[in-house]
Amino acid sequence: MGCFECCIKCLGGVPYASLVATILCFSGVALFCGCGHVALTGTVTILETHFSKVTSDHAMLTDVIQLMQYVIYGIASFFFLYGIILLAEGFYTTSAVKELHSEFKTTICGRCISGMFVFLTYILGVAWLGVFGFSAVPVFLFYNMWSTCAAMKSPMANLTNIDSICVDVRQYGIIPWNATPGKACGSTLGDICNTSEFYLSYHLYIVACAGAGATVIALLIYMMATTYNFAVLKFKSREDCCTKF
């Protein structure tokens, strides 16, 4: 067998679905965790500077954001390991790999592990759908503020008193109602929208939301790949049983 034939045969053993899902999962989790972490820090800065100048008013929110940032570290570490494990599982349960290793035998333990990955990936996919929906909330809040600022600057608005246009973040439950000032109006609101913290946080939240969406897609691909691998293992085990008689 020549070198070219060996390369073709080896490439035939690559689980391309799991490989694509792994790359997409790593990219999505990296975008979500990295951009989300920085965006949360920028959000705290905006709130402390413009909406809640008394530390005790947003102390709980600060603690929650710090907790979320620690959770982000855990998510990044977990999915780095989980993606590698699923990719390795894909290599060893692909039908192409079985063709390369004719002595490949399935065991009850192997089938149980494959079934566990199917179940766990399904649970993670459902969980990340929730994460994707949750990550869209700050995008919605920042978009409302940005659209309000854009409306004030629009020459078609024909506003006589821009100070009557306000954004009150207390209505979203982010800070308590007794927080001061709690809202920004007119030129103050326009100045907030022009800050680098607002611009950066808004776009980072968008990227983080896109990263969460990419992770959901990656987990869907993983689910299809692991389900297929589990079905092949079941078929192989029946085939082994039949050949014994």
Side-chain angles (χ1 to χ4, degrees), residues 11-238:
L11 289 175
V14 177
Y16 291 103
S18 296
L19 183 61
V20 171
T22 301
I23 296 173
L24 191 59
C25 182
F26 283 175
S27 301
V29 171
L31 289 176
F32 174 79
C33 294
C35 295
H37 186 280
V38 178
L40 287 172
T41 303
T43 301
V44 173
T45 302
I46 293 173
L47 289 175
E48 290 178 342
T49 305
H50 303 286
F51 293 101
S52 181
K53 297 183 179 180
V54 180
T55 305
S56 59
D57 291 339
H58 59 270
M60 181 178 293
L61 177 64
T62 303
D63 293 338
V64 171
I65 288 178
Q66 289 179 350
L67 178 62
M68 292 174 64
Q69 289 176 329
Y70 286 121
V71 170
I72 283 175
Y73 297 144
I75 290 174
S77 302
F78 172 77
F79 272 90
F80 176 76
L81 294 175
Y82 190 69
I84 293 176
I85 292 173
L86 281 184
L87 182 61
E89 194 263 350
F91 269 104
Y92 285 101
T93 55
T94 311
S95 59
V97 174
K98 296 175 189 179
E99 292 174 3
L100 288 174
H101 304 280
S102 58
E103 298 298 324
F104 184 89
K105 300 293 182 181
T106 61
T107 62
I108 296 177
C109 181
R111 294 194 296 272
C112 289
I113 292 175
S114 184
M116 180 192 69
F117 280 128
V118 173
F119 176 75
L120 183 57
T121 305
Y122 177 81
I123 296 299
L124 290 174
V126 174
W128 267 96
L129 281 175
V131 173
F132 176 65
F134 179 77
S135 64
V137 174
V139 176
F140 172 74
L141 299 181
F142 272 77
Y143 174 77
N144 282 344
M145 188 180 296
W146 175 82
S147 60
T148 303
C149 293
M152 289 192 304
K153 297 177 183 179
S154 175
M156 303 298 294
N158 193 22
L159 298 174
T160 57
N161 185 16
I162 63 172
D163 291 332
S164 61
I165 300 178
C166 301
V167 170
D168 192 343
V169 298
R170 294 173 296 184
Q171 65 182 336
Y172 301 115
I174 300 176
I175 55 177
W177 281 103
N178 59 355
T180 55
K183 63 180 180 179
C185 304
S187 58
T188 303
L189 178 59
D191 293 338
I192 295 174
C193 293
N194 290 330
T195 59
S196 59
E197 290 86 2
F198 177 85
Y199 181 85
L200 182 62
S201 297
Y202 178 38
H203 289 83
L204 286 178
Y205 276 127
I206 295 175
V207 177
C209 185
T215 306
V216 172
I217 296 174
L219 289 173
L220 288 175
I221 299 174
Y222 271 140
M223 277 191 281
M224 291 185 289
T226 53
T227 303
Y228 168 77
N229 292 337
F230 179 73
V232 171
L233 284 176
K234 292 287 289 184
F235 176 78
K236 182 65 177 176
S237 64
R238 292 177 182 177

